[in-house]
Amino acid sequence: MSLKYAVIGSGALGGFYGGKLAHSGKDVHFLFHSDYEFVLNNGLKVDSVNGDFHLTGINAYQSTVDMPKADVVLVCLKTTNNHLLKSLLSPILHSGTVIVLIQNGLGVEQDVASVFPQQPIVGGLAFICSNKIGDGHIAHLDYGKLNLGVFQGDIDPVVEQIKNDFTEAGVPAEVASNLMQARWQKLVWNIPYNGMTVVLNTTTDRLMSEASTRQLSYDLMLEVINGARACGVEVKESFADKMMELTDSMTPYAPSMKLDFDFKRPMEIEYIYSRPVKAAMEAGYAMKKVAMLESQLRFIQAGLSEI
Amino acid sequence: MSLKYAVIGSGALGGFYGGKLAHSGKDVHFLFHSDYEFVLNNGLKVDSVNGDFHLTGINAYQSTVDMPKADVVLVCLKTTNNHLLKSLLSPILHSGTVIVLIQNGLGVEQDVASVFPQQPIVGGLAFICSNKIGDGHIAHLDYGKLNLGVFQGDIDPVVEQIKNDFTEAGVPAEVASNLMQARWQKLVWNIPYNGMTVVLNTTTDRLMSEASTRQLSYDLMLEVINGARACGVEVKESFADKMMELTDSMTPYAPSMKLDFDFKRPMEIEYIYSRPVKAAMEAGYAMKKVAMLESQLRFIQAGLSEI
């Protein structure tokens, strides 16, 4: 049986992952927002380091009310839009529809599960560098691996099929045995670099070039690792060293939160900072520096910086 | 016996405190830097909330080599210039000259004592809002109290005389029984607001208006209080509440480090942040959030912010 996919949020992530699936012949239905008309007339263009492609005649929609019920919903919205998910997803769910949350941070699955308590839910972690560079136009610059992990539901065979669909589409995909571990591990990188590039208005390479912020990045990583451990999730300290090496090897990089800040979009403070801080605190560990970064970001988000 | 004063650094602090002493008839000799010629021709003008005054024919010098030996040297330089003190002060010291360091932070007395181990040394804390607004022109906007504390030397009577000279000159002055306590107490305010207004490019009132940074300011204060205690200096927790109230009652304020940052002058990171962090750490207490602020400031000082 082949799976029917719905892609909610066809931007940098949804445009790429959904586009790859559609390009490989899967049955994919895209929800577009501002560039619906453009895509209808011009299709979806993906400039990828692994080969460009251009999809025309795709299944594009302006509202989920008009979409068919899907077997798999790929939620590729920023978490700042998650309050919309109840009304957005309800029309396209059947009892077995798997909701895949390709989103950053901690706690997204829990929150969506409280809205859809009966629905199978999968967490998705995207290790990718991609941007939406224009209407119906995605640039895929580097990486691309998708890590999937079951949060709710007895759905291992379906998740295996989703993984295989991605693999066939040329997207390296894995099923994580421990979703929470995968989420915390991703936070080890996301927490220092997303917030610090915003607060200090800079890029990853500059943070790494100055001794004080290099050390602070590492300290923040260790706090996240200790936070994970407090929550019963094992992450090795050496993982921080691996992330330092990875960052050193990257080209100067503005993480997604820095782009959100630069383009005056809301930042994903809640799921990337507040939830991990709260989870660790409830487990008895204060991530003090992470909490400080959270406070600084909330101040900036409130528009109070710059006189 | 009347005291002969030398004022080293005749800016916002030295211009005001030295100016007040001279205005009341004390024997004061001022070292000027960039505005020496101007002051020689036009005198020193102080616009003060307590009454404006204009000093002409003052004892102005361009080099301490030309100055008479003083009984009291008021060091009113930014601590970022303290590496100059050995050569600046040596020509004007006799064996009993009291060096008064009217400076911010922790460790200035220790460092100067290592350069002048035989000299009486006094720490001075200025609770004042004043600015240099032009050549030979000081604006005194609010407050003004001077808190003096002996660091080195058996000089209680002289310090009492200095206090009286200031009092006669209309400057509220006190002798602190515990200099280190006075320094740590001042840090309880200085550490959160100096650094945070720089890192978040804002003013005190805005930091206080947003819940996240209001709490963070308070948390930073408590860390400083715990740092003080680790160093054997008692500061009550209620002192943090007092500082919160004080800040709430202030007009929107840019602390001295924010002005240094705005005017691209070096910031006093070493004595306001690094030394307290180090002192507390050596005493077994990690001021984690203060250390994080220090790291962020060092990054900014290195000129790495803003792409």
Side-chain angles (χ1 to χ4, degrees):
Chain A
M1 190 199 76
S2 76
L3 296 169
K4 188 187 285 292
Y5 286 88
V7 177
I8 305 302
S10 306
L13 287 184
F16 176 74
Y17 287 118
K20 289 291 275 187
L21 288 174
H23 188 52
S24 75
K26 308 298 171 195
D27 183 14
V28 186
H29 300 258
F30 297 86
L31 178 71
F32 284 93
H33 185 217
S34 59
D35 46 359
Y36 167 74
E37 292 285 347
F38 182 92
V39 170
L40 214 59
N41 295 323
N42 304 280
L44 176 68
K45 227 172 147 254
V46 179
D47 299 343
S48 168
V49 283
N50 303 330
D52 301 350
F53 59 94
H54 190 180
L55 298 168
T56 51
I58 61 173
N59 306 308
Y61 305 83
Q62 229 178 343
S63 166
T64 51
V65 172
D66 305 317
M67 293 173 76
K69 292 200 188 293
D71 301 312
V72 181
V73 177
L74 304 179
V75 175
C76 300
L77 298 170
K78 291 267 177 192
T79 54
T80 48
N81 290 314
N82 275 19
H83 58 288
L84 304 173
L85 287 179
K86 185 172 188 174
S87 58
L88 277 178
L89 300 196
S90 293
I92 54 173
L93 302 180
H94 59 66
S95 66
T97 303
V98 179
I99 302 173
V100 182
L101 299 165
I102 306 183
Q103 298 190 306
N104 274 320
L106 199 74
V108 285
E109 294 90 2
Q110 284 84 344
D111 285 4
V112 172
S114 76
V115 177
F116 301 109
Q118 309 300 328
Q119 218 65 35
I121 294 176
V122 167
L125 293 102
F127 297 85
I128 189 171
C129 180
S130 69
N131 294 308
K132 184 175 159 181
I133 56 176
D135 280 348
H137 195 177
I138 310 296
H140 169 223
L141 305 172
D142 211 352
Y143 310 106
K145 202 181 87 176
L146 194 59
N147 211 345
L148 303 167
V150 176
F151 177 78
Q152 175 172 291
D154 191 10
I155 49 168
D156 287 353
V158 191
V159 175
E160 198 62 26
Q161 196 177 341
I162 297 170
K163 187 195 87 170
N164 291 339
D165 283 352
F166 274 112
T167 308
E168 282 174 38
V171 173
E174 275 181 22
V175 178
S177 56
N178 185 335
L179 174 62
M180 287 307 119
Q181 186 186 45
R183 287 229 167 263
W184 276 102
Q185 282 184 333
K186 195 161 188 211
L187 287 171
V188 173
W189 194 92
N190 270 332
I191 281 181
Y193 297 110
N194 275 281
M196 295 271 281
T197 52
V198 171
V199 170
L200 294 174
N201 201 17
T202 195
T203 44
T204 52
D205 57 311
R206 291 190 180 201
L207 291 174
M208 297 302 274
S209 75
E210 161 65 28
S212 65
T213 42
R214 186 181 179 88
Q215 181 64 44
L216 177 53
S217 303
Y218 189 71
D219 292 347
L220 284 162
M221 290 181 185
L222 293 184
E223 270 198 7
V224 177
I225 289 172
N226 287 328
R229 289 175 175 178
C231 295
V233 173
E234 179 53 26
V235 181
K236 288 204 175 71
E237 269 200 22
S238 62
F239 190 76
D241 299 292
K242 241 173 83 179
M243 289 301 102
M244 293 291 283
E245 280 168 37
L246 172 75
T247 314
D248 278 331
S249 74
M250 286 164 64
T251 48
Y253 187 57
S256 66
M257 185 171 282
K258 181 60 162 67
L259 296 177
D260 289 339
F261 169 72
D262 288 343
F263 291 102
K264 303 192 188 307
R265 297 187 295 244
M267 298 185 285
E268 300 187 284
I269 302 172
E270 182 65 22
Y271 289 103
I272 299 183
Y273 291 91
S274 307
R275 294 304 180 87
V277 164
K278 204 177 158 204
M281 185 60 89
E282 285 172 359
Y285 178 69
M287 299 198 293
K288 292 192 177 182
K289 292 182 178 186
V290 177
M292 175 157 165
L293 200 46
E294 178 200 1
S295 299
Q296 293 178 324
L297 290 168
R298 292 225 174 260
F299 181 86
I300 291 168
Q301 181 72 80
L304 292 164
S305 277
E306 289 171 52
I307 308 165
Chain B
M1 190 198 76
S2 76
L3 297 168
K4 189 188 286 290
Y5 287 89
V7 177
I8 304 302
S10 305
L13 288 184
F16 176 75
Y17 287 119
K20 290 291 272 184
L21 288 175
H23 187 51
S24 75
K26 307 299 172 195
D27 184 15
V28 187
H29 300 259
F30 297 86
L31 178 71
F32 284 93
H33 186 219
S34 58
D35 46 4
Y36 167 73
E37 291 286 346
F38 181 91
V39 170
L40 215 57
N41 295 322
N42 303 280
L44 177 67
K45 228 174 144 251
V46 178
D47 299 343
S48 167
V49 282
N50 303 331
D52 302 351
F53 59 93
H54 190 177
L55 298 168
T56 51
I58 62 173
N59 306 307
Y61 304 84
Q62 229 178 344
S63 165
T64 51
V65 172
D66 305 317
M67 291 172 77
K69 292 199 188 295
D71 301 313
V72 180
V73 177
L74 304 179
V75 175
C76 300
L77 297 169
K78 293 266 176 194
T79 55
T80 48
N81 289 314
N82 276 17
H83 59 286
L84 304 172
L85 288 179
K86 186 172 188 175
S87 57
L88 276 179
L89 300 196
S90 293
I92 54 172
L93 302 180
H94 59 65
S95 64
T97 302
V98 179
I99 301 174
V100 182
L101 299 165
I102 306 182
Q103 298 189 307
N104 275 320
L106 199 74
V108 285
E109 292 90 0
Q110 284 84 345
D111 285 4
V112 173
S114 77
V115 177
F116 300 109
Q118 309 301 327
Q119 217 67 36
I121 294 177
V122 167
L125 294 102
F127 296 85
I128 188 169
C129 181
S130 68
N131 293 309
K132 184 176 159 179
I133 56 177
D135 280 347
H137 195 178
I138 310 296
H140 167 223
L141 305 172
D142 210 352
Y143 310 106
K145 202 180 86 176
L146 194 59
N147 210 346
L148 303 168
V150 176
F151 177 77
Q152 174 170 293
D154 191 10
I155 49 167
D156 288 352
V158 192
V159 175
E160 198 62 25
Q161 195 178 345
I162 298 171
K163 187 195 88 171
N164 292 338
D165 283 351
F166 275 112
T167 308
E168 282 174 36
V171 173
E174 274 180 23
V175 178
S177 56
N178 185 335
L179 175 63
M180 285 308 118
Q181 186 187 42
R183 287 228 167 265
W184 277 102
Q185 283 184 332
K186 194 159 189 214
L187 288 170
V188 172
W189 193 91
N190 269 333
I191 281 179
Y193 297 109
N194 275 282
M196 294 271 281
T197 52
V198 170
V199 170
L200 294 174
N201 201 17
T202 194
T203 45
T204 53
D205 58 311
R206 292 191 178 201
L207 291 175
M208 296 302 274
S209 74
E210 160 66 27
S212 67
T213 42
R214 186 181 180 87
Q215 182 64 45
L216 177 53
S217 303
Y218 189 71
D219 292 347
L220 285 162
M221 289 181 187
L222 293 184
E223 270 198 8
V224 177
I225 288 172
N226 287 328
R229 288 175 175 176
C231 293
V233 172
E234 179 53 27
V235 181
K236 288 203 175 71
E237 270 200 22
S238 61
F239 190 77
D241 299 291
K242 241 173 83 180
M243 289 302 102
M244 294 292 282
E245 282 168 36
L246 172 75
T247 314
D248 278 331
S249 74
M250 286 164 63
T251 47
Y253 187 59
S256 66
M257 186 172 281
K258 180 61 162 67
L259 296 177
D260 289 338
F261 168 71
D262 288 343
F263 291 101
K264 302 189 188 310
R265 298 186 295 245
M267 297 185 284
E268 301 187 281
I269 302 172
E270 181 67 20
Y271 289 104
I272 298 182
Y273 291 92
S274 307
R275 294 304 180 86
V277 164
K278 204 176 158 205
M281 186 59 91
E282 285 172 359
Y285 178 69
M287 300 197 294
K288 290 191 179 181
K289 293 183 177 185
V290 177
M292 176 158 164
L293 200 45
E294 178 199 359
S295 299
Q296 293 178 323
L297 289 168
R298 291 223 175 263
F299 180 84
I300 290 169
Q301 182 71 80
L304 293 164
S305 278
E306 294 170 49
I307 306 163

